[in-house]
Amino acid sequence: MTSITIHDLDDALTRRLSRRAAEHGRSMEEEARDILHQVITGSAAADADMKAAQDRAAVSENLGRTIHARFAAIGGVDHIRGE
């Protein structure tokens, strides 16, 4: 595993991290590691979900247009049903 060192943390931020770590019964290092993990993996998962939803919407829209164009070329759905 890789180690990192973060310099020049604001004192108020350090106190908040310390308090949060104590509330969760872990060290500041463990708490910082958990925060980083949540933020990074949560953001990546949200980005992937957004991209997948956009892809599904694009496929659905393209499919709808393709179907419409095919039926429009022969006079639409009413023409097929004999109306």
Side-chain angles (χ1 to χ4, degrees), residues 6-17:
I6 302 173
H7 297 279
D8 302 321
L9 283 176
D10 181 76
D11 289 340
L13 181 63
T14 303
R15 283 191 300 274
R16 289 179 63 188
L17 179 61

Side-chain angles (χ1 to χ4, degrees), residues 10 21 25 34 36-38 40 44 49-50 59-60 65-68 71 74 81:
D10 181 76
D34 185 64
L36 284 169
H37 184 267
Q38 287 179 22
I40 291 171
D49 289 345
M50 174 92 56
V59 167
S60 179
R65 287 182 180 179
T66 301
I67 291 169
H68 176 76
F71 284 102
I74 60 169
R81 288 191 285 188

Side-chain angles (χ1 to χ4, degrees), residues 29-72:
E29 181 181 346
E30 289 172 315
E31 189 67 20
R33 190 170 31 249
D34 185 64
I35 291 168
L36 284 169
H37 184 267
Q38 287 179 22
V39 169
I40 291 171
T41 59
S43 177
D47 291 345
D49 289 345
M50 174 92 56
K51 174 77 170 100
Q54 290 170 342
D55 290 347
R56 283 191 302 274
V59 167
S60 179
E61 183 178 331
N62 291 336
L63 177 61
R65 287 182 180 179
T66 301
I67 291 169
H68 176 76
R70 288 211 179 169
F71 284 102

